[in-house]
């Protein structure tokens, strides 16, 4: 067994992959697919500063440089020889640097950080994601491709009952929880099949592409056993499946949170006032209905949190009927223009508390729900839920809806009498952080807001440092 540290073996393997370009067919497919997703995520925005990790011989680098030739593009790899091949492909207009993606020693910020099929080589992927996200500029995009469980399943079947040596690639479920903190986005899976002339050709392909480093602790098969494995592989069709995952994640364009609830009347406005007070935050209620019966949440939060007039952005839509925003607008012969619902841009480094209307599936306009606004704005969500009976179903459904849409969830605030069982179930089943438990308030007053605000996490404990 090779006693070199695995990362050193990986670097050595890729350095020696002189035939990488001719053999790496699926790597090129993944690079083109990742690039397409990057372009979709960025839209018309042209990144000024790009960091590519694990650039290899420059498949993705070339696409990035051709699309955004004016950008400062820093292409990095752990293998120096790979960088030389990338420079031969793309040219010297790009900056090249040896860098270990597991500990990126480089200064941000970057508008785009990307890496094609490098993520699966990282031993602590969640920690790396957090570090890379910290290098993003506001609104910056982190885009990666990865291999999933089931990659090379045909070879593993041929190897059974022996160990195949194929690295432990994550399942879709495991990878779904591996996302950069506070960033919106999610992983999407795709399958591709690659035929080979024989088992020997498949093994030669792994060596030519530098991907022949087995999982840690693997002992090579004896020659006789390997021959039997190769015969079984050839008999079963001599092809392999690649399971790809592509993840595009975006850092919020400004500091702030989107406050929503599991349903109406769950305490969003009181919690919003507490967050504004605790974080010295700005406040915006984009859509307000029910003004015929009350003064509205904007006035309530301003009074409870003691906001200055300049701390408040008026609603973009205010309606009289106590209905959903869509229905309330229709009752007044109006139609909400979703395109005009843009996040306030003033003081972007100061927290902004955006309070939604009702729950996530409350209608805003034709085919637009409140969750669609959360997706568009890209702010992490604070979900307000009741603490008592019935909260598990409502809360876990809301958490699942947010995850399915790729909305970052900062955490849940439970409102009402303490219920340790529900708290533990939401944390465990939903995989979310309970930011706070707020006891029932007999009187909703500025003093009550002040007292609760002192128990909430500080802004620096919930957001990026620096």
């Amino acid at each position: 067994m090779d006693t070199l540290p695995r990362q050193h073996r990986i670097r050595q393997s890729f350095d020696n992959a002189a035939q990488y370009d001719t053999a790496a067919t699926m790597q090129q497919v993944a690079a083109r697919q990742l690039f397409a997703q990057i372009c979709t995520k960025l839209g018309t925005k042209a990144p000024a500063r790009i960091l590519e990790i694990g650039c290899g011989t420059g498949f993705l680098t070339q696409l990035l440089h051709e699309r955004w030739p004016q950008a400062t593009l820093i292409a990095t790899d752990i293998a120096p020889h790979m960088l030389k091949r990338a420079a031969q492909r793309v040219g010297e207009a790009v900056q090249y640097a040896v860098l270990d993606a597991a500990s990126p020693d480089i200064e941000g910020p970057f508008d785009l950080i990307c890496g094609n099929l490098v993520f699966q080589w990282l031993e602590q992927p969640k920690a790396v994601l957090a570090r890379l996200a910290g290098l993003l500029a506001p609104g910056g995009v982190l885009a990666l491709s990865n291999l999933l469980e089931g990659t090379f399943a045909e070879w593993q079947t041929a190897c059974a009952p022996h160990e195949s040596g194929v690295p432990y690639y994550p399942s879709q479920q495991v990878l779904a929880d591996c996302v950069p903190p506070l960033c919106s986005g999610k992983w999407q899976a795709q399958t591709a099949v690659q035929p080979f002339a024989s088992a020997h050709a498949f093994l030669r392909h792994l060596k030519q592409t530098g991907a022949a480093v087995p999982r840690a602790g693997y002992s090579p098969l004896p020659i006789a056993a390997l021959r039997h494995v190769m015969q079984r592989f050839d008999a079963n069709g001599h092809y392999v499946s690649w399971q790809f995952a592509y993840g595009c994640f975006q850092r919020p364009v400004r500091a702030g949170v989107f406050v929503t609830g599991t349903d109406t009347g769950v305490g969003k406005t009181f919690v919003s006032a507490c967050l504004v007070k605790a974080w010295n935050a700005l406040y915006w209620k984009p859509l307000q209905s029910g003004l015929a019966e009350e003064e509205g949440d904007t006035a309530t939060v301003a009074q409870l949190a003691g906001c200055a007039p300049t701390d408040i952005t008026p609603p973009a839509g205010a309606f009289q009927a106590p209905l959903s925003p869509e229905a309330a607008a229709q009752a007044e012969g109006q139609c909400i223009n979703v395109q005009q619902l843009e996040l306030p841009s003033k003081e972007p480094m100061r927290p902004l508390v955006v309070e939604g209307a009702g729950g996530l599936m409350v209608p805003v306009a034709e085919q637009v729900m409140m969750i669609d606004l959360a997706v568009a704005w890209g702010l992490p969500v604070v979900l307000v839920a009741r603490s008592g009976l019935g909260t598990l179903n409502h809360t876990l459904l809301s958490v699942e809806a947010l995850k399915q849409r790729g909305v970052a969830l900062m955490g849940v605030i439970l409102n009402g009498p303490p219920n340790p069982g529900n708290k533990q179930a939401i944390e465990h089943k939903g995989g979310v952080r309970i930011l706070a438990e707020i006891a029932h308030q007999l009187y909703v007053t500025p003093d009550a807001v002040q007292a609760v605000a002192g128990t909430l996490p500080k802004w620096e404990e919930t957001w990026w440092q620096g």
Side-chain angles (χ1 to χ4, degrees):
M1 184 184 300
D2 197 332
T3 58
L4 278 175
R6 191 164 187 272
Q7 288 303 106
H8 289 184
R9 296 176 64 197
I10 291 170
R11 179 175 62 189
Q12 188 177 72
S13 181
F14 281 110
D15 254 345
N16 294 335
Q19 295 177 293
Y20 184 92
D21 277 5
T22 57
T25 303
M26 300 309 293
Q27 287 81 350
Q28 295 183 61
V29 169
R32 288 193 295 269
Q33 179 61 36
L34 181 61
F35 176 70
Q37 296 203 20
I38 290 171
C39 292
T40 299
K41 193 74 171 179
L42 288 174
T44 59
K45 179 182 178 181
R49 198 160 185 253
I50 303 172
L51 172 65
E52 183 187 0
I53 58 173
C55 70
T57 62
F59 293 147
L60 180 59
T61 317
Q62 186 173 28
L63 295 171
L64 294 168
H65 180 58
E66 289 176 351
R67 179 64 178 265
W68 298 293
Q70 303 305 316
T72 298
L73 172 54
I74 305 174
T76 70
D77 201 281
I78 196 173
H81 289 174
M82 281 290 193
L83 288 173
K84 292 181 180 179
R85 296 167 196 147
Q88 291 171 357
R89 173 190 297 277
V90 185
E92 297 300 330
V94 171
Q95 299 178 28
Y96 302 93
V98 175
L99 182 134
D100 184 354
S103 53
D105 183 18
I106 194 167
E107 291 187 8
F110 293 94
D111 302 299
L112 170 63
I113 299 175
C114 54
N116 183 44
L117 296 182
V118 64
F119 193 61
Q120 70 269 9
W121 297 107
L122 305 177
E123 295 180 356
Q124 295 181 310
K126 280 192 173 182
V128 173
L129 279 176
R131 284 196 291 269
L132 292 176
L135 295 173
L136 288 173
V141 170
L142 172 59
L144 299 165
S145 59
N146 188 54
L147 294 179
L148 288 171
E149 182 182 66
T151 296
F152 305 154
E154 296 79 8
W155 176 253
Q156 295 182 71
T157 298
C159 287
H162 304 288
E163 289 288 327
S164 67
V166 172
Y168 294 109
Y169 299 128
S171 66
Q172 290 189 44
Q173 183 176 0
V174 168
L175 193 62
D177 291 327
C178 193
V179 298
L182 304 184
C183 291
S184 60
K186 62 179 183 178
W187 294 95
Q188 299 182 42
Q190 290 186 358
T191 300
V193 175
Q194 184 176 17
F196 287 94
S198 64
H200 185 269
F202 168 63
L203 295 177
R204 184 171 65 249
H205 166 269
L206 293 180
K207 185 174 182 179
Q208 289 173 336
T209 59
V213 179
R215 68 180 61 164
Y218 171 75
S219 297
L221 293 175
I223 295 298
L226 180 59
R227 287 199 188 100
H228 287 303
V229 167
M230 295 173 70
Q231 290 170 0
R232 284 196 293 270
F233 180 81
D234 289 342
N236 289 333
H238 43 78
Y239 67 89
V240 295
S241 300
W242 294 72
Q243 305 296 334
F244 294 114
Y246 301 95
C248 279
F249 307 96
Q250 189 164 25
R251 180 168 176 164
V253 296
R254 62 157 301 136
V257 296
F258 177 75
V259 179
T260 189
T262 53
D263 54 30
T264 300
V266 76
K268 293 189 307 299
T269 301
F270 178 73
V271 168
S272 294
C274 294
L275 294 175
V276 169
K277 189 69 175 180
W279 297 339
N280 185 31
L282 305 169
Y283 174 81
W284 183 42
K285 175 85 172 185
L287 299 169
Q288 174 69 65
S289 56
L291 291 175
E293 299 179 355
E294 58 183 28
E295 62 179 347
D297 297 336
T298 299
T300 299
V301 169
Q303 188 266 332
L304 289 175
C307 297
T310 54
D311 294 338
I312 302 292
T313 296
F319 312 102
Q320 299 301 308
L323 303 170
S324 71
E326 180 186 35
Q330 289 175 348
E332 298 180 20
Q334 300 185 45
C335 181
I336 295 173
N337 186 345
V338 178
Q339 301 301 320
Q340 293 180 352
L341 297 177
E342 296 185 358
L343 281 177
S345 58
K346 68 178 181 180
E347 299 185 72
M349 300 307 295
R350 185 178 174 189
L352 169 69
V353 173
V354 180
E355 183 184 351
L360 292 169
M361 301 309 292
V362 167
V364 172
E366 185 68 25
Q367 298 183 339
V368 178
M369 302 292 187
M370 194 59 60
I371 193 172
D372 296 306
L373 298 183
V375 171
W377 291 329
L379 295 179
V381 162
V382 172
L383 178 65
V384 183
R386 292 185 175 87
S387 61
L389 184 65
T391 194
L392 294 183
N393 182 62
H394 293 162
T395 305
L396 294 177
L397 280 173
S398 296
V399 169
E400 182 63 21
L402 291 168
K403 289 183 177 180
Q404 287 294 322
R405 295 297 301 275
V407 179
L409 181 58
M410 181 179 283
V412 174
I413 291 182
L414 293 173
N415 194 13
N419 190 316
N422 283 346
K423 174 180 181 289
Q424 183 179 16
I426 292 169
E427 284 180 316
H428 177 66
K429 303 291 186 183
V432 297
R433 175 187 178 187
I434 303 298
L435 292 174
E437 295 177 272
I438 299 177
H440 175 71
Q441 303 296 308
L442 187 60
Y443 300 105
V444 178
T445 65
D447 287 342
V449 168
Q450 177 73 48
V452 171
T455 68
L456 297 177
K458 297 182 184 300
W459 177 248
E460 294 76 15
E461 297 170 358
T462 62
W463 202 255
W464 285 290
Q465 299 292 317

